[in-house]
Amino acid sequence: MKNLGVQNIKWDNLNRRNFQFSLIFIVFSFLSFSQVKSEADTTKIRIGEQINYKISVEADSADVVVFPEGQTYLPLELVEALKIDTTKKDRKYLLSRIYKLTQFDSGSYSVPRQKIVIGDTSFFTDSLQVDVKTVQVDTTKQKLYDIKPIIEVEKSSTSWWVWLIIILLAIALVAFLLYWFIWRKKPLTEEEEIALLPPYDRAQLALKKLDESQYLIRSEVKEYYSELTFIIRKYLDEKVYDRALESTTSELISRLELLKDGNQLDLSKDSIKNIEAILRRADLVKFAKSAPDTALAEMDKATIAKEIDVVKESLPEPTEEEKLLDQQYKEEQERKKKRRKIILTVIISVFLLVATFVGFGIKYGFGYVKDTIVGHESKVLLEGDWIKSAYGFPPVFIETPRVLKRENIPPPEDTENKVTTTTFVYGGLSDVFSVSVSTTTLKMPKQEAQTKDTEDPTFDLLKISESKIQEFETKGATDITVKREQFITPNAAEGLKTFGTLNIKTVNSDNSVNAEYALFHFSNANVLQQIVLTWPANDTYADDIKQRIINSIELNSNEQEKEN
């Protein structure tokens, strides 16, 4: 009886434990189900219409939630992913995101399960069946037209005009400053206007200003006689003797007498004596501190004014040759003045250009500034508008500086009916920088497809990599180095990376260019996806282009669709 009782107790404990485990499993299942939900506004659309596929997540505030990104909805195409909408409910956060999906072929399609990561746990939505119906067209009323050919369109830049306006404004500012400070005819100052007057008029104006001065009223006799003698000496310096300003009184008077005796100056002895008397009296005032009275000082000024008139009348009229020489002198002065302005303008312009180059060179690097001014092909590609697109099916998502154009490359004769290949390229091997994306699909009979183990890879990536290297050699590449390693894309697609260096012969030349290459091969069931890059070696811009392209590679193979 005791053993039976013990067995009953053990059996009850076991049932209780199983019940607890079942309850925990049900609770966790319920929580998992309630954390992630998906719904669509419709499951039946016509070709080209869109459905709104909504994923809702309930999570704690501390959890990191990762929604699906990219083309994970194949065979439906993702048109747009709206921003995540977040609302707070008690201590939880409700996050939802709407994905707009479409399809351009009729049929019944299954949207694969989508993976959502909450913290360290992954959750999957339910798959969704979508029916796409054709649009009925009455061809008796609606005319049909041939497909129009592809038209080349020049890609317009969005920011070049901003830099053009800035450059034009800078040039206009410099031109205005040069005009304002150098080329503009500035209004003459009073001193400049006086300097343009003839010597006689300047002397008369100076005497008038001396008469209006306050020297004699303030008993500043020395200043008065200094100004008075400067006026007569300046006039004689310009019209009679070109060293009158620095000559002593005796030297100046001796020179005037010599000119009179040589009949070069028709000046009387009384005029020479009057000038000599005033000059010697001024010397006494300046050096011996003599102090003539005001009346004598005014009389001396009147005498100087009269003698200036006498000197003017005694001077011979200038000959036509002298007038011509004077005109030529003025013209030469104008040419010198203009030449100085041109030289000054050139010096300032060169200085501004050099200063601008040095300033930008210090900030951005002299090589970068030089390449910007001269123009560098790789730099133009790097800084242009890049295009991110999907090529082939299954699609290869890649970002490139230029759109890849489709090329019809016929397959080898022995594989013509066994494979289909689509290729998109920019540039070629002889262009040094090139990008190509190709997708090869192996055609399999239905019986073989049903019996073949599709999990086993159909393509040998190593052999395909070697055949691509041989293709380089047939196109003239030499000195090829080869390295290989595993490559994993940002969305976890695994493939083979082959890379190294090679020499490429440029177009219309026997010269070789050092270059680098990288091959990326991905195989999944009966699909081979290949990406080929070549770029010039020792080119920092090309290195940045290459790295940006490689970082952008993503693909969604059939195997990934199954995992999703």
Side-chain angles (χ1 to χ4, degrees), residues 1 9 22 91 118 146 165 237 338 348 424 483 501:
M1 292 296 292
I9 293 172
S22 300
R91 296 183 180 180
I118 303 176
D146 292 335
I165 291 176
D237 183 85
K338 186 176 181 180
I348 293 175
F424 302 85
K483 299 178 182 178
T501 60

Side-chain angles (χ1 to χ4, degrees), residues 346-519:
V346 171
I347 291 174
I348 293 175
S349 300
V350 172
F351 171 77
L352 290 175
L353 289 175
V354 172
T356 303
F357 179 80
V358 172
F360 281 104
I362 292 174
K363 184 173 182 180
Y364 299 105
F366 290 99
Y368 180 84
V369 176
K370 177 181 72 66
D371 293 336
T372 302
I373 297 173
V374 177
H376 194 288
E377 182 180 359
S378 299
K379 182 176 180 295
V380 173
L381 289 175
L382 177 63
E383 297 181 350
D385 294 332
W386 284 52
I387 297 95
K388 187 170 185 179
S389 186
Y391 299 95
F393 187 84
V396 175
F397 300 92
I398 191 170
E399 187 178 21
T400 55
R402 295 288 186 270
V403 175
L404 306 185
K405 296 182 179 180
R406 182 165 185 160
E407 281 194 0
N408 294 321
I409 301 176
E413 294 181 359
D414 56 343
T415 62
E416 186 174 358
N417 297 322
K418 298 180 180 179
V419 299
T420 57
T421 302
T422 56
T423 304
F424 302 85
V425 300
Y426 170 78
L429 190 62
S430 58
D431 299 319
V432 185
F433 180 82
S434 66
V435 185
S436 71
V437 177
S438 63
T439 302
T440 301
T441 304
L442 182 63
K443 297 179 180 178
M444 299 175 62
K446 293 183 178 180
Q447 295 84 357
E448 186 180 352
Q450 292 173 357
T451 59
K452 187 174 180 61
D453 186 5
T454 57
E455 296 298 326
D456 295 332
T458 304
F459 297 94
D460 188 334
L461 299 185
L462 183 59
K463 289 183 179 180
I464 294 172
S465 171
E466 291 175 351
S467 65
K468 192 63 182 178
I469 300 298
Q470 293 175 1
E471 182 182 334
F472 284 163
E473 292 177 344
T474 58
K475 291 182 179 180
T478 58
D479 300 331
I480 303 176
T481 62
V482 180
K483 299 178 182 178
R484 291 185 176 90
E485 64 182 24
Q486 185 187 33
F487 180 78
I488 301 176
T489 66
N491 63 337
E494 297 183 5
L496 176 65
K497 177 182 178 182
T498 306
F499 59 100
T501 60
L502 70 166
N503 289 335
I504 302 173
K505 287 186 178 180
T506 56
V507 181
N508 300 326
S509 174
D510 293 332
N511 298 327
S512 296
V513 177
N514 294 328
E516 299 181 50
Y517 72 92
L519 313 176

Side-chain angles (χ1 to χ4, degrees), residues 547-563:
Q547 196 57 49
R548 181 172 174 180
I549 292 175
I550 294 175
N551 292 341
S552 69
I553 296 174
E554 290 187 4
L555 51 92
N556 194 324
S557 63
N558 295 332
E559 186 66 27
Q560 288 175 295
E561 290 179 27
K562 293 177 181 179
E563 292 177 0

Side-chain angles (χ1 to χ4, degrees), residues 220-281:
E220 297 174 350
V221 181
K222 180 178 178 180
E223 287 77 7
Y224 184 86
Y225 273 94
S226 296
E227 188 69 25
L228 181 62
T229 54
F230 178 79
I231 294 171
I232 184 62
R233 282 176 176 272
K234 179 68 174 175
Y235 181 72
L236 293 174
D237 183 85
E238 292 180 335
K239 303 299 293 183
V240 179
Y241 177 47
D242 58 359
R243 294 184 180 179
L245 287 174
E246 60 265 24
S247 299
T248 63
T249 300
S250 299
E251 291 173 346
L252 179 57
I253 296 302
S254 298
R255 186 67 179 181
L256 293 176
E257 290 175 348
L258 184 63
L259 292 173
K260 178 184 179 304
D261 294 340
N263 295 323
Q264 297 181 14
L265 183 66
D266 187 14
L267 198 62
S268 66
K269 290 184 177 181
D270 292 338
S271 295
I272 295 176
K273 286 183 179 180
N274 290 336
I275 294 173
E276 181 181 9
I278 294 173
L279 291 177
R280 293 195 182 279
R281 191 161 28 252

